[in-house]
């Protein structure tokens, strides 16, 4: 490892706390990262930076470098595309306004979904609130937890495969910006954008690939290739895209605490890639352990 490097490996650049749909507080998550042997962890809650402050304190306390980040909800046609963003200014007015708009849309969408589900099952909005930290970015995982608490599903995954699946008829989309707008907002806030899990089975591959040139021109930094939900063929496609557009390749766990089977450090990012990511950022600094 380079002697002037201020962070240590292993490096995991994608995790969620209770600020969105993870099950641990940001501080406990950072402690779990230290316990798992990580040298560096990014906190990337959905559409929120509310966990940065607590996670930053915990990073110093537990000796893990923190890369503050976020996973922005975006949409191409009817497919959801997640945009990881790192080291941007969390007070940038346009980005703050856009994330507030997304969180608001998610809240109304969740209320509508629960109202629909409540016509057929014994579950209501109070059940969802009971599973949600005040101010958290609300998503289907919180509805899943309410269904589990009501005995209507055994686990989050069972709820996703059943009542929360779009085929069940209760699914609702919510407002989310185009990925190009997300990249532009993140770059304007001094941050570094990386497309999250761009090769899962349900992604808008063709539409996304057609947009790749524009996304790169706008400042897209990389693609999250090592993620458990990317398919083998999809990873080949990402290698070709990275080669063609000079994009960096990252790897991460997408840890959600007990909310998903994903374990901290199950996929990691090379230190050279994080060097370049940090060098590109102008909005915020890592919290070095
Ligand atoms: P939403 O954005 O509200 O539609 O919900 C999608 C979120 O649910 C994603 O960010 C995932 O973290 C989570 N999720 C998706 N599938 C599952 C699953 N099978 N088990 C647990 N969480 C899931
Ligand atoms: Fe999630
Ligand atoms: Fe995601
Ligand atoms: Zn995620």
């Amino acid at each position: 490892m380079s002697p002037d490097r201020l962070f240590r490996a292993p490096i995991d650049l994608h995790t969620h706390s209770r600020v969105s749909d993870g099950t641990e507080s940001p501080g406990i998550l950072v402690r779990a990262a230290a316990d798992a042997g990580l040298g560096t962890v990014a906190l990337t809650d959905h559409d929120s930076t509310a966990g940065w402050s607590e996670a930053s304190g915990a990073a110093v306390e537990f000796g893990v470098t923190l890369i503050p980040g976020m996973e922005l909800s975006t949409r191409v046609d009817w497919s959801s595309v997640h945009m990881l963003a790192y080291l941007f200014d969390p007070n940038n007015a346009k980005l703050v306004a856009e994330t507030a708009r997304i969180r608001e849309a998610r809240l109304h969408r969740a209320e509508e979904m629960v109202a629909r589900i409540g016509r057929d099952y014994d579950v209501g909005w109070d059940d969802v609130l009971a599973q949600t930290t005040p101010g958290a970015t609300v998503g289907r995982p919180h509805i899943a937890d309410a269904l589990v608490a009501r005995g209507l599903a055994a686990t989050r995954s069972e709820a996703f495969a059943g009542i929360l699946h779009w085929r069940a008829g209760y699914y609702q989309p919510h407002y989310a910006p185009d990925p190009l707008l997300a990249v532009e907002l993140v770059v304007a806030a001094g941050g570094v954008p990386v497309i999250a899990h761009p090769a899962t089975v349900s992604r808008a591959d063709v539409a996304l690939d057609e947009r790749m040139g524009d996304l790169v021109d706008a400042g897209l930094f990389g693609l999250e290739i090592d993620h458990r939900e990317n398919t083998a063929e999809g990873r080949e496609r990402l290698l070709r895209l990275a080669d063609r557009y000079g994009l960096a390749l990252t790897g991460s766990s997408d840890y959600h605490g007990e909310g998903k089977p994903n374990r901290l450090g199950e996929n990691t990012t090379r230190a050279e890639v994080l060097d370049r990511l940090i060098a590109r950022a102008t909005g915020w600094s890592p919290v070095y352990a």
Side-chain angles (χ1 to χ4, degrees), residues 27 30-31 41 54-66 287-289:
V30 168
R31 191 179 71 188
V41 67
E54 185 185 318
S56 297
V60 174
E61 184 179 351
F62 299 111
V64 181
T65 290
L66 176 76
V287 179
Y288 293 108

Side-chain angles (χ1 to χ4, degrees), residues 46 71 82 197 254:
H46 297 284
E71 185 175 20
H82 286 172
H197 42 76
D254 204 356

Side-chain angles (χ1 to χ4, degrees), residues 84-274:
L84 292 161
Y86 301 104
L87 300 172
F88 54 88
D89 175 3
N91 301 310
N92 177 277
K94 285 186 176 160
L95 191 53
V96 166
E98 186 64 21
T99 52
R101 182 178 176 192
I102 300 168
R103 282 200 309 276
E104 189 70 13
R106 282 176 154 285
L107 183 60
H108 288 303
R109 170 266 201 154
E111 285 171 338
E112 284 179 31
M113 279 187 67
V114 172
R116 289 203 209 178
I117 297 168
R119 287 182 209 140
D120 295 337
Y121 297 94
D122 187 18
V123 63
W125 188 243
D126 284 349
D127 296 307
V128 178
L129 285 183
Q131 302 297 330
T132 310
T133 304
T137 303
V138 182
R140 280 184 291 162
H142 302 96
I143 306 175
D145 290 346
L147 294 170
V148 171
R150 280 276 174 186
L152 296 166
T155 61
R156 268 191 186 185
S157 291
E158 194 184 297
F160 268 89
I163 295 173
L164 295 177
H165 198 277
W166 60 267
R167 272 192 300 254
Y170 306 107
Y171 183 82
Q172 284 253 117
H174 61 78
Y175 165 77
D178 188 272
L180 183 59
L181 175 58
V183 168
E184 288 168 350
L185 288 169
V186 169
V187 169
V192 183
V194 171
I195 305 179
H197 42 76
T200 62
V201 279
S202 60
R203 298 295 155 189
D205 294 354
V206 175
L208 203 52
D209 291 5
E210 282 170 354
R211 284 165 162 78
M212 203 56 71
D214 289 340
L215 295 174
V216 171
D217 288 346
L220 181 69
F221 173 73
L223 304 170
E224 187 186 51
I225 189 167
D226 288 321
H227 182 290
R228 64 158 70 199
E229 289 171 39
N230 284 334
T231 64
E233 317 82 77
R235 289 175 205 223
E236 295 296 320
R237 180 186 129 242
L238 299 183
L239 284 173
R240 288 194 297 273
L241 286 171
D243 194 43
R244 173 166 174 199
Y245 292 105
L247 290 164
L249 294 168
T250 69
S252 25
S253 65
D254 204 356
Y255 177 73
H256 282 67
E258 296 314 305
K260 275 191 159 182
N262 311 33
R263 293 299 92 192
L264 284 163
E266 68 175 32
N267 287 295
T268 56
T269 297
R270 289 187 303 121
E272 292 76 16
V273 171
L274 184 56

